[in-house]
Amino acid sequence: MKGRYELRFAGSGGQGVILASVIFAEAAVISGMKTVQSQAYGPEARGGVSKAETILSREPIWYSKVTAPDFLLALTQESLDSYSKTLAAGGLIMMDSSLRLPEGLDPAQVLSVPVLQTAREVVGKAFTANIVAVGAINKALGLFDGETLLEAVKRHIPAGTEDINRRALDAGAELISPEQAAAFARKWG
Amino acid sequence: MSKAVLMQGNEAAVEGAIAAGMRFFAGYPITPSTEIAEQSAVRLPQVGGKFIQMEDELASIAAVLGASAAGLKAMTATSGPGFSLMQENLGYGMMAEIPCVVVDVQRAGPSTGLATSPAQGDYMQARWGTHGDHPVIALSPSSVLETYTLIIRAFNLAEKYRTPVLFLMDEIVGHMREGVELPRPSDLIINQRKMSFHDGANKQCYYVPEGQYVPAMKPFGHGERYNITGNAHDESGFPTNSSEIAGKLVTRLLDKVEKNTGDIVRVEEYAMDDAETAIVCFGGTARAVMDAVLEARAAGKRVGMFRPVTVWPFPAGQLRARLPQLKRLLMVEHNHGQMLLEVQRAVGREKPVDFLGRVDGTVISPRDILDKLNEMEENGYAQ
Amino acid sequence: MPSDLVHLYMRIDHLPQIWCPGCGNGVIMRDVAVAIHELIEDPALNFNREDFVVVSGIGCSSRAAGYLDFNSIHTTHGRAIAFATGIKFANPKLHVIVLTGDGDCSAIGGNHLIHAARRNMGLTVIAFNNNIYGMTGGQYSPTTPNGDRATTAPYGNVDRPFDIANLAWGAGASFSARGDVYHVRETIDIIKQAILHKGFSFVDVYSVCPTYYGRKNKKGDAVDMLKWQRDNLIPTARYYSMPEGERKGKKRIGILAYNDYPEYTEEYAKVIEACRKTGGEGEEARE
């Protein structure tokens, strides 16, 4: 893994992209990596654009904002259209499969995954979409081992919701085929 | 597994405050400081402390001063609009010498401004916001861990000098999460309030022995009966119309900070030993400056960072000590040039001082700073 | 020669007080001292003088805190109740008494009054209500009657006034009462009950300001103003024994509202207790 890796999570308020971002930062802390997590949001508690960022590094991190992320999760068309433009060279995108691929993007750098549908129909609760996404992202990028990620999730969910969140995490991971993971992991290096 | 925990800056302010002995918080919700109130509401009753959400910021600072007068270490947290509302009672706390900590997580202003966007536009307000000549101690952290350790220092200074201490955060640090390894409680130094000089000689509650600056009365309910007022007062704590006593009082209030800058003022310097260019910054801005310094150094440029951790009093002496080696200075801050004025005052005409600021709610990046350094170079560093 | 009461409870060095001849504020200050004295002296109670804290804001009324020999804090304009909230919550065993004025507690500090009433923390707030801003020289206050004159109402006051005792009651005060400076014994008893009341208590004491309000409005001298109180402010028992027709234009003094709502600091103590029982990770646990 290169020195500094920047992840951006974008969606609308209420989709839980900030929590997804926090979970990766937590997993980084558990594994002894350096991390900085931050977010930007509008006045809306629900709706509007919500953006969260996690920086992962082996070295101390100073500047805490992401300018050209190596990875983007987009759960709404608006966030995909605007943030896909600011990706780093060779950056990767995971977009919800309900969205349209913006023009000018190389399909090879994009993974279209039914995050929202899986949360609704497989896990059975739409609000687990962020955890489904966490499972899928972790599998695709090969960031953390399963135990570390599960511990990170547990530190940020209400007591009594462990089972459904574990199912969401697993359902997310299953959305990524070994071939896709291999393709993405190559770009990661 | 690492011993580090993931913590947000605002959360670290609460944990540090509790470690320092904070047992009272009164506040009013305002972005981007609200997590400090929320976390205080969760944590204080767990340690036997008290949290109250007041009807506004005027009431919040008043309740904090009341709680401190009754003996608890007390804090409030707010952002620009609320900080403006607190100014009158901040002056009261300074005049009546009631310790407390006031956190201002700065956001872009003026007025309601950009509520969720970072800025550092309250720097001069922190110094001059309340009316009249008054002492000010203000500290500004640039990381989550430093928020924890520095707010402990804020409480220590508040108790030692019996004055409200301002803790100037910004949205960058307040809303950022980092992995931090907190110091062990046994490694912390915690000051307690001096509870009276009385050795039978002088019973005046605001009595200050010769050569000292800070009175030491007990809190209310500890067996001494006395008066506290925001009026000019004598050592008994009662209002006076004597110009001599009033003049001496205000002078002592100012002196207790000005004559103790050696104890109060702290600066962080990075790569300054052989620096020819000093980038001056404070708070969350330091994070971009650090990256810029590292990159400039990698390109062979002799650039260093000079960061006041104590932002009031401004560390003019420490900055002046660096002037002989410097060819130029660059002030970088998220405002239209506030600390810049203090830098210019310290530097005078001895060295050119350039400026990079931002007031649109976005964050100055390392690239912006490097571009500015290049521009300065191309211009031959002319003013 | 000052009376024993004055020797006991007032700071002789700081007397005589600055109030004008005929001002009602001295009467209210004495009422407060007598009420506290009688509570301390009552063997059935366990009141300790050192546990009293007198809090005031700014204005004529607020000078009283400095004259009374207790722990005292003379705060900023309008904020006395908010300071008092911090003092009481920090140390609930203290008896916190706020001495305020009509401007201090119902104009600049009106927000703190209604929220303190709602919160029901055990403070006692005594308003010295003289219908005018005296300290600044006679401007109309929130209790200046409509049509009356003040330096800032030279053609008659256009505002409608507050009845502050009713305001506190309406805001949920568990104890709200009205007293005056003519009915001294009744008012002392009301103040005693207010201090004994566990929750928030408010006493609106009608003072007299012959210098500004009286003179501007041709109310006569201090004696005339007291006579007006005698004839128009009626203690509760007598008020209800009067034929209804005779009550017109008169006001009742006494307790207007009384409720046994839970007291704030006691309720919060339960929160602390519950946190400790459920093992909320406290500092102790951490160290």
Side-chain angles (χ1 to χ4, degrees), chain B residues 55 89 92 224 227-229, chain C residues 50 71-72 74 76 112 119:
Chain B
E55 52 273 18
N89 277 335
Y92 184 91
E224 282 172 21
N227 187 58
I228 300 176
T229 180
Chain C
E50 305 305 326
N71 287 305
S72 56
H74 175 217
T76 46
H112 309 310
R119 205 176 274 132

Side-chain angles (χ1 to χ4, degrees), chain B residues 199-220:
Chain B
D199 42 13
N202 194 325
K203 292 284 184 197
Q204 309 271 59
C205 62
Y206 281 94
Y207 162 65
V208 178
E210 195 61 36
Q212 295 198 42
Y213 297 97
V214 190
M217 65 271 214
K218 292 177 182 171
F220 283 160

Side-chain angles (χ1 to χ4, degrees), chain B residues 282-342:
Chain B
F282 67 102
T285 307
R287 306 189 69 93
V289 171
M290 276 299 292
D291 273 350
V293 167
L294 290 168
E295 197 163 329
R297 283 272 165 183
K301 294 179 184 172
R302 288 159 77 171
V303 177
M305 176 180 78
F306 180 95
R307 176 172 74 92
V309 176
T310 305
V311 293
W312 292 113
F314 180 76
Q318 284 87 335
L319 187 60
R320 286 197 58 80
R322 287 292 181 190
L323 286 189
Q325 73 184 68
L326 293 176
K327 293 193 170 147
R328 64 203 75 89
L329 298 92
L330 171 63
M331 179 74 223
V332 183
E333 54 186 331
H334 287 85
N335 56 45
H336 219 281
Q338 296 193 13
M339 188 178 273
L340 172 67
L341 298 169
E342 291 303 306

